[in-house]
């Protein structure tokens, strides 16, 4: 009997991962990770102004290397039995393209221009444009933000486009259209990148680009023209229809089939964002909150349309029919920084070591520091007098997006050592998660359980136990270390016709769960009190500190 294999490709913030899976059994045949070389060098980014860009060549080169290396681990026959490939990416990560759908940075005149590159999800250079979108939408005849929580974010599609058109005349003159990373890379694999022909992801369009069935697609051209005449006519060069990720984008091109060494009848599925496909890989079910925990978090929730479709949930990142599981309402929330906060604190300690003692000592310390801090923090008691930290170091995504906010530490004294500060930072990320859970519940959406995936979920028992204590809920951790790539592989199996639907794909390919963190009664009781202090401290920073001009906004 012929075996069927599929490939899930997960484009993260720092690297791309390829996973080759037996679609009939879920058995892993090969996997490989490839870092983005230009990104690793820090090119085209300026953290001081929240500018984060990625060159399309990083994606193309890393994709080819990762897939080939993953297939090299598998028996030779596997290559000829690959049936489908699906891709997930970060988002919103759009790029300006020419009439052929070529990202401008792949043209010689834009090769070193960051504005012609992919604008990464965590780029916050469009804060002002997001505020303009919100002001107009809230006063317009139709509030086009009502299905994205009522607040448009600078991390999303239209804000990034508008800012780029305003600041770069060359890009403005050369950009025919704009395409999300998950759409472009999937189309690139088919060889059909025409922006008017390629299928657009329901996930990306609904959560980040204000697409909705009630609007007959995107908001009206009149709305965009009033926002800024630079946007006049762009709607007609984008899209009206979207596709869920169980559908095929098309067959792989001969060029990419040759590059990867696989058949020319391999089906490429419609792409989606990493967290959405990760939730599928983690067996999300109705009213289960799936937390994808890494540098940031994405919190995914699905529910039957007939039960919650009438709700307009305030302050989240959108509610879209079919964006996660086809046929169900997909809801997204998340935090703009989670693991990034721990990385910031680590860098704060390590950089002086690098300067004073050299690269070798700094590298040695970097491998040991976070595990050591976690071990020491785990020994500390949880008391009502503990340090309170605010987790808005990269702004706030949800509830109620506001990326001009800053983080903070309150309650420091001369006994506040690195372990206590690290503990407070971990607790702050957990409080931010609790704020999301409470928002869903307050808006009428119950949460029955929590599922966790991602690097932090797999690597840090201290963080996960703290999260369980703060949420006062058990947390199940998916067994797969590659849940996003596994979810993409599941979608690939449906798009290629190996499985008739996503449920069958999940049943056949799932790896289950390998850990459950139970809340501890004593610590959880104290955390409920500390959480109230977190809310009060956050309100002070947001409403008092900023109004008095103590913080410089960027």
């Amino acid at each position: 009997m012929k075996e069927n294999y599929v490939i899930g490709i997960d484009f993260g913030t720092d690297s791309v991962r390829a996973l080759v899976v037996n679609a009939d059994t879920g058995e892993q045949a090969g996997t490989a990770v490839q870092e983005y070389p230009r990104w690793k060098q820090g090119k085209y980014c300026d953290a001081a102004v929240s500018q984060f860009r990625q060159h399309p060549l990083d994606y193309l080169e890393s994709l080819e290397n990762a897939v080939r290396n993953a297939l090299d681990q598998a028996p030779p026959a596997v290559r000829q039995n690959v049936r489908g490939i699906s891709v997930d990416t970060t988002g919103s990560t759009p790029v300006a393209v020419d009439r052929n759908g070529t990202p401008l940075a792949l043209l010689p005149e834009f090769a070193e221009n960051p504005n012609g590159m992919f604008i990464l999800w965590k780029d916050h250079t469009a804060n002002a444009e997001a505020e303009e979108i919100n002001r107009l939408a809230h006063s317009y005849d139709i509030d086009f933000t009502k299905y994205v929580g009522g607040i448009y974010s600078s991390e999303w599609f239209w804000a990034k486009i508008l800012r780029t058109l305003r600041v770069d005349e060359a890009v403005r003159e050369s950009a025919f259209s704009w395409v999300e990373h998950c759409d472009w890379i999937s189309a690139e694999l088919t060889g059909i990148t025409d922006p008017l022909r390629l299928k657009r992801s329901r996930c990306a369009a609904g959560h980040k680009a204000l697409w909705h069935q009630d609007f007959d697609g995107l908001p009206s051209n009149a709305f965009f023209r009033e926002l800024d005449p630079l946007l006049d006519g762009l709607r007609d060069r984008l899209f009206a229809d979207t596709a869920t990720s169980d559908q095929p984008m098309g067959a792989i091109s001969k060029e990419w089939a040759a590059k990867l060494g696989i058949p020319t009848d391999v089906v490429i599925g419609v792409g989606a964002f990493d967290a959405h496909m990760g939730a599928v890989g983690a067996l999300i079910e109705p009213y289960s909150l799936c937390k994808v925990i890494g540098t940031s978090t994405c919190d995914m929730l699905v529910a039957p349309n007939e039960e919650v479709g009438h709700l307009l949930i305030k302050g989240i990142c959108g509610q879209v029919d079919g964006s996660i599981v086809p046929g169900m309402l997909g809801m997204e929330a998340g935090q703009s920084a989670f693991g990034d906060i721990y990385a910031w604190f680590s860098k704060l300690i390590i950089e002086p070591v690098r300067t004073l003692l050299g690269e070798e000592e700094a590298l040695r310390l970097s491998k040991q520091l976070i595990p050591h801090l976690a071990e020491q923090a785990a020994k500390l008691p949880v008391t009502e007098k503990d340090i309170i930290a605010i987790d808005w170091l990269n702004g706030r995504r949800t509830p109620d997006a506001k990326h001009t906010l800053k983080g903070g530490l309150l309650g420091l004294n001369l006994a506040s050592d690195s372990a206590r500060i690290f503990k407070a930072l971990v607790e702050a990320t957990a409080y931010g998660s609790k704020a999301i859970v409470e928002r869903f519940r307050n808006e009428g959406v119950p949460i029955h359980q929590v599922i966790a995936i991602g690097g932090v979920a797999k690597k840090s028992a201290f963080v996960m136990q703290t999260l369980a204590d703060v949420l006062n809920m058990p947390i199940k951790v998916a067994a797969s270390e590659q849940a996003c790539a596994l979810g993409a592989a599941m979608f690939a199996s449906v798009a290629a016709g190996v499985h008739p639907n996503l449920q069958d794909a999940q049943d056949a390919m799932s790896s289950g769960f390998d850990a459950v963190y139970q809340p501890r009664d004593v610590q959880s009781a104290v955390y409920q009190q500390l959480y109230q202090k977190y809310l009060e401290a956050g309100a002070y920073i947001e409403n008092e500190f900023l109004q008095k001009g103590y913080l410089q906004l960027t």
Side-chain angles (χ1 to χ4, degrees):
M1 179 178 175
K2 181 180 178 180
E3 293 182 312
N4 298 298
Y5 288 87
V6 289
I7 303 175
I9 303 175
D10 171 32
F11 282 89
T13 300
D14 301 318
S15 60
V16 62
R17 181 184 300 271
L19 177 67
V20 183
V21 185
N22 185 316
D24 303 309
T25 67
E27 181 181 1
Q28 177 179 305
T31 184
V33 178
Q34 182 68 49
E35 292 183 321
Y36 310 136
R38 296 162 188 81
W39 172 261
K40 188 176 181 180
Q41 296 171 34
K43 286 188 172 183
Y44 317 118
C45 299
D46 185 352
V49 295
S50 294
Q51 174 181 302
F52 298 98
R53 309 296 165 88
Q54 292 183 328
H55 201 290
L57 286 177
D58 268 0
Y59 297 152
L60 295 174
E61 294 166 1
S62 299
L63 165 65
E64 182 177 354
N65 289 335
V67 173
R68 291 187 67 89
N69 290 340
L71 286 168
D72 284 345
Q73 298 173 19
V78 169
R79 286 182 181 272
Q80 298 310 310
N81 291 327
V82 173
R83 298 283 304 280
I85 296 175
S86 283
V87 171
D88 70 71
T89 72
T90 66
S92 178
T93 301
V95 70
V97 298
D98 66 8
R99 182 62 187 83
N100 297 317
T102 302
L104 296 189
L106 292 180
L107 304 176
E109 61 268 35
F110 292 100
E112 298 297 316
N113 184 343
N115 294 321
M117 300 175 190
F118 285 88
I119 306 173
L120 193 64
W121 63 270
K122 67 179 182 178
D123 187 297
H124 292 162
T125 53
N127 284 331
E129 284 72 19
E131 288 301 314
E132 291 178 50
I133 292 171
N134 285 315
R135 283 196 296 271
L136 178 59
H138 297 162
S139 63
Y140 207 71
D141 292 343
I142 301 173
D143 185 352
F144 291 111
T145 69
K146 66 181 180 178
Y147 294 112
V148 293
I151 302 176
Y152 202 76
S153 168
S154 63
E155 293 184 348
W156 299 351
F157 192 74
W158 287 105
K160 292 174 174 178
I161 291 173
L162 180 54
R163 182 187 182 276
T164 306
L165 295 178
R166 284 174 169 174
V167 302
D168 196 315
E169 182 180 359
V171 170
R172 185 167 69 242
E173 295 300 320
S174 299
F176 173 78
S177 188
W178 293 75
V179 183
E180 278 284 355
H181 181 194
C182 67
D183 294 333
W184 177 76
I185 199 72
S186 302
E188 164 66 23
L189 287 170
T190 71
I192 303 173
T193 58
D194 183 337
L196 300 182
R197 295 174 58 197
L198 65 89
K199 291 181 181 178
R200 304 287 186 137
S201 164
R202 172 77 57 86
C203 163
H207 286 283
K208 312 300 181 185
L210 298 175
W211 179 92
H212 197 273
Q213 299 97 318
D214 288 359
F215 307 148
D216 293 324
L218 298 168
S220 66
N221 186 65
F223 172 81
F224 290 123
R225 185 173 60 241
E226 185 171 338
L227 179 63
D228 193 308
L230 291 176
L231 296 173
D232 188 17
L234 178 56
R235 184 184 190 274
D236 294 335
R237 304 195 302 276
L238 289 167
F239 54 93
D241 300 318
T242 63
T244 52
S245 294
D246 56 339
Q247 299 182 36
M249 176 73 78
I252 194 169
S253 69
K254 291 181 179 179
E255 178 186 5
W256 273 104
K259 284 183 178 181
L260 303 179
I262 57 179
T264 56
D265 62 351
V266 169
V267 173
I268 307 299
V270 171
F273 290 153
D274 46 8
H276 297 68
M277 285 192 169
V280 169
L283 299 183
I284 193 171
E285 57 187 79
Y287 304 113
S288 294
L289 184 71
C290 182
K291 296 185 66 65
V292 185
I293 308 176
T295 55
S296 64
T297 76
C298 245
D299 296 356
M300 316 309 303
L301 197 63
V302 298
N305 281 287
E306 61 271 20
E307 294 180 11
V308 299
H310 64 287
L311 300 175
L312 291 177
I313 304 154
K314 297 177 182 177
I316 65 169
C317 300
Q319 51 190 85
V320 183
D321 181 16
S323 64
I324 303 172
V325 175
M328 285 201 163
L329 187 70
M331 294 162 276
E332 178 190 341
Q335 294 161 264
S336 291
F338 202 99
D340 263 354
I341 294 177
Y342 315 152
W344 163 78
F345 189 58
S346 175
K347 183 178 180 181
L348 198 69
I349 296 172
I350 291 171
E351 281 306 305
V353 174
R354 177 175 285 108
T355 301
L356 296 173
L357 301 180
E359 186 66 34
E360 185 175 342
E361 285 299 313
L363 182 61
R364 186 171 67 87
L365 177 60
S366 68
K367 294 178 179 179
Q368 302 174 14
L369 182 59
I370 295 298
H372 169 74
L373 290 173
E375 180 183 355
Q376 296 304 307
K379 298 175 182 178
L380 295 171
V382 179
T383 76
E384 296 176 29
K385 297 181 179 180
D386 284 350
I387 299 167
I388 296 293
I390 305 299
D391 57 317
W392 301 332
L393 272 70
N394 197 29
R396 184 178 64 210
R397 181 180 296 159
T398 56
D400 306 317
K402 184 179 286 189
H403 290 291
T404 53
L405 291 174
K406 308 298 180 185
L409 286 165
L410 296 88
L412 297 176
N413 59 36
L414 293 178
S416 302
D417 57 19
S418 58
R420 286 176 170 80
I421 295 174
F422 180 73
K423 172 175 171 288
L425 293 172
V426 170
E427 291 166 344
T429 55
Y431 298 146
S433 297
K434 185 174 178 64
I436 292 169
V437 170
E438 293 302 307
R439 175 57 61 90
F440 275 117
R441 287 174 170 166
N442 292 338
E443 291 290 310
V445 182
I447 293 176
H448 296 161
Q449 67 171 340
V450 177
I451 299 169
I453 65 174
V456 174
K458 300 295 289 184
K459 295 176 183 177
S460 181
F462 170 66
V463 173
M464 297 311 297
Q465 184 61 61
T466 302
L467 187 58
D469 292 339
V470 170
L471 294 180
N472 198 21
M473 296 175 67
I475 300 176
K476 293 162 48 175
V477 179
S480 176
E481 294 187 2
Q482 305 171 47
C484 295
L486 179 59
M490 290 173 176
F491 274 114
S493 73
V494 180
V498 178
H499 294 295
N501 55 60
L502 192 59
Q503 183 63 61
D504 284 1
Q506 289 178 306
D507 291 344
M509 300 169 66
S510 167
S511 57
F513 305 93
D514 65 359
V516 179
Y517 291 89
Q518 297 287 348
R520 299 171 296 179
D521 291 342
V522 174
Q523 287 86 345
S524 185
V526 178
Y527 277 133
Q528 307 320 304
Q529 299 177 54
L530 291 174
Y531 175 66
Q532 295 304 315
K533 293 184 177 181
Y534 163 86
L535 293 177
E536 293 169 4
Y540 176 73
I541 288 177
E542 183 171 2
N543 300 320
E544 298 292 334
F545 218 44
L546 293 183
Q547 289 180 10
K548 293 178 180 177
Y550 294 146
L551 294 178
Q552 293 296 315
L553 305 184
T554 58

